[in-house]
Amino acid sequence: MKAITVLKTGSEISLVLAEHAEPEAGPDEAIVAVHAFSLNNGEVRGALHDGIDGDRPGWDLSGVVQTAPEGSGFRQGDRVVGLVWSGGWAERVAVPTSRLAKIPDDVSFEAASTLPVAGLTAAVALQKKTIGPGSRVLVTAATGGVGIYAIQLAAAAGAHVTAFARDGSTAEFLRNLGADEIAVGVEAGEKSGPYDLILEGVGGSLLGAALTWLAPRGVCVLFGDASEDALTTFDSRRFRLQSGGAYGGTVLYGFFLLEELTRPEGAADGSAILADLAQRLSDGSLRPIIGRTAPWADIDATARDLLKRKFAGKAVLTVGG
């Protein structure tokens, strides 16, 4: 069986196709023949910057069930989307049924493969504060995978959505996703607030500023660190009191998807959320934005282009050929 593998030669790291043993399913796992998978910045950065020779990266996948545990609700031939913590970029993968969902026949494998990390992160992060009509939501890293789904899901809930952008070139794209306002730069971001919920994927100085833009009892969910800044500093008085107002109740929430799906109590139901997201793709209320589709033999070049932000939206690779 072939799988994408980290190849380290001296100080050089690349991603290549290599032969590996067939996966063995555990008692709560299905074997899925992979048709497509999508890339995420975190896994690509980890593989190309810190990868160990022989590592098998890959989180998101879609394909067809080959075998499934009895009573799991899955059977041979089911079209599915799933999430694993490593090794997903392969011809066949063992996937826990708790992170597997069926996809409607009219949803392509390519579209479905964009859902697991980006869709689950956006959906679960938006649950950290009840939102609806009248709520104000800010989404940073807005043109990334999580941001694209977060804008659409927040808008569908009736919230007023502000998308934070580095420049105005993506304004039309973000409005078409459902953003009501486009904030270009920190000054505009502050002016459009305060916000009941902030989904923050940049970190660094932007996180420090965003913490002072929260409304009373507002929540800032930190789901990423795209800036790679080492430190964040912020005005703690404004975060707590809004410059002296009797507010408080503001929260900074550190978000990590693995913890959200596997905590001993109150874990998010990954399978149910994936199924809901797949249905939204089917009915057109959610749109995948795929910036590049390529055969999986092009993994190394595609992964590097993703890190260089040569396209907006997700990179999807198709397996086979």
Side-chain angles (χ1 to χ4, degrees):
M1 179 193 79
K2 291 185 173 63
I4 303 297
T5 309
V6 173
L7 175 65
K8 193 167 186 178
T9 307
S11 61
E12 298 295 320
I13 297 178
S14 58
L15 296 173
V16 300
L17 276 170
E19 289 290 336
H20 289 269
E22 291 285 343
E24 295 183 6
D28 299 315
E29 294 180 325
I31 298 296
V32 176
V34 179
H35 285 226
F37 58 83
S38 71
L39 309 185
N40 297 282
N41 277 47
E43 64 189 339
V44 170
R45 255 187 312 179
L48 289 177
H49 294 175
D50 305 307
I52 297 171
D53 190 55
D55 277 357
R56 285 182 48 194
W59 300 337
D60 298 346
L61 61 94
S62 63
V64 175
V65 171
Q66 288 193 326
T67 65
E70 187 175 349
S72 66
F74 298 97
R75 62 183 181 180
Q76 185 179 15
D78 284 343
R79 304 174 74 252
V80 292
V81 58
L83 171 65
V84 293
W85 303 127
S86 64
W89 303 345
E91 288 184 297
R92 286 168 291 281
V93 180
V95 185
T97 56
S98 62
R99 300 195 298 273
L100 194 67
K102 297 176 187 178
I103 56 177
D105 290 341
D106 59 354
V107 173
S108 70
F109 290 116
E110 291 82 359
S113 75
T114 69
L115 291 175
V117 168
L120 283 171
T121 296
V124 178
L126 285 168
Q127 294 174 0
K128 300 307 174 185
K129 173 78 176 181
T130 301
I131 60 171
S135 300
R136 299 186 70 86
V137 175
L138 173 69
V139 179
T140 73
T143 59
V146 176
I148 285 169
Y149 280 139
I151 290 170
Q152 295 181 74
L153 293 171
H160 181 282
V161 182
T162 299
F164 188 94
R166 290 175 296 165
D167 56 57
S169 64
T170 58
E172 183 178 358
F173 170 75
L174 294 170
R175 289 190 186 280
N176 286 337
L177 291 176
D180 298 286
E181 292 186 55
I182 313 301
V184 179
V186 171
E187 184 176 338
E190 180 174 18
K191 185 178 179 181
S192 295
Y195 306 99
D196 301 294
L197 178 63
I198 298 175
L199 268 58
E200 215 293 273
V202 177
S205 59
L206 180 56
L207 171 61
L211 289 174
T212 69
W213 303 341
L214 288 169
R217 296 174 295 281
V219 177
C220 177
V221 179
L222 178 64
F223 68 85
D225 54 358
S227 72
E228 299 187 48
D229 288 346
L231 295 174
T232 294
T233 59
F234 69 102
D235 184 337
S236 61
R237 184 175 180 85
R238 284 195 63 194
F239 170 68
R240 189 171 71 91
L241 299 174
Q242 280 290 308
S243 299
Y247 294 153
T250 46
V251 173
L252 170 61
Y253 187 94
F255 186 99
F256 192 63
L257 184 59
L258 186 154
E259 197 274 339
E260 297 292 332
L261 297 178
T262 61
R263 62 174 57 149
E265 296 182 6
D269 188 336
S271 181
I273 297 171
L274 277 175
D276 175 68
L277 293 171
Q279 184 57 48
R280 289 172 184 256
L281 290 183
S282 178
D283 66 27
S285 61
L286 193 65
R287 289 191 293 131
I289 304 298
I290 299 175
R292 179 176 298 177
T293 303
W296 70 332
D298 294 346
I299 177 64
D300 194 76
T302 303
R304 294 178 191 281
D305 286 349
L306 178 75
L307 293 183
K308 294 174 183 176
R309 297 177 178 173
K310 289 194 174 182
F311 50 86
K314 298 284 284 183
V316 172
L317 285 88
T318 55
V319 175

